[in-house]
Amino acid sequence: AQTVTQSQPEMSVQEAETVTLSCTYDTSESNYYLFWYKQPPSRQMILVIRQEAYKQQNATENRFSVNFQKAAKSFSLKISDSQLGDTAMYFCAFTYSGAGSYQLTFGKGTKLSVIP
Amino acid sequence: GAGVSQSPSNKVTEKGKDVELRCDPISGHTALYWYRQSLGQGLEFLIYFQGNSAPDKSGLPSDRFSAERTGGSVSTLTIQRTQQEDSAVYLCASTALLATYNEQFFGPGTRLTVL
């Protein structure tokens, strides 16, 4: 079974500063995908960034980047130049090709507050 | 274009009643998922539909839960004899054909409250 662990239930960061959210996962699969989703109070889950396990290069999307450590099964999200609109729940998620359905397994989430 | 829509946005029901939650996926998306987001359990997979294939029901928590997808488009999640532990946000997601992983697009969810 696949598990995803987010050890930081809540975090806060000053506007314009940098923050890192942690995520670890456990799997015996070799072909898998990792994601960070953002869920603002509107409840709409929004994909922030994705990483394919076979890619060694860390994914980046504008102010968002990941530190993917495959051997350590770690997948952290760095948000640079934090903005008030980044305030949300952030979920780390995992899926793999073996199941066929590509269903997502989520961590419990980290509530991020950006302080003006 | 239009995203995934869900209705109702909020639903309050009494224990023991049946409820139906609706999901309209993005047009042309052949795969559809239901997830449940509850305080105690976090986000959990419930059921998956892909085209005309038999659905993957492995995440349904009990036989009180069922879902169908008509015409390969709209899906309805039905909860019979609701219990207080069914209170949660029910999220629907859709994606294009799964030759490989494709991004799942989520709807805004239905918040179910069972009194």
Side-chain angles (χ1 to χ4, degrees), chain B residues 9 39 75:
Chain B
S9 178
L39 283 176
S75 177

Side-chain angles (χ1 to χ4, degrees), chain B residues 11-16 82-84 86-87 112-115:
Chain B
K11 175 72 176 178
V12 180
T13 191
E14 294 180 348
K15 178 181 173 182
T82 52
Q83 304 295 311
Q84 288 183 331
D86 299 334
S87 295
L112 175 66
T113 303
V114 182
L115 302 176

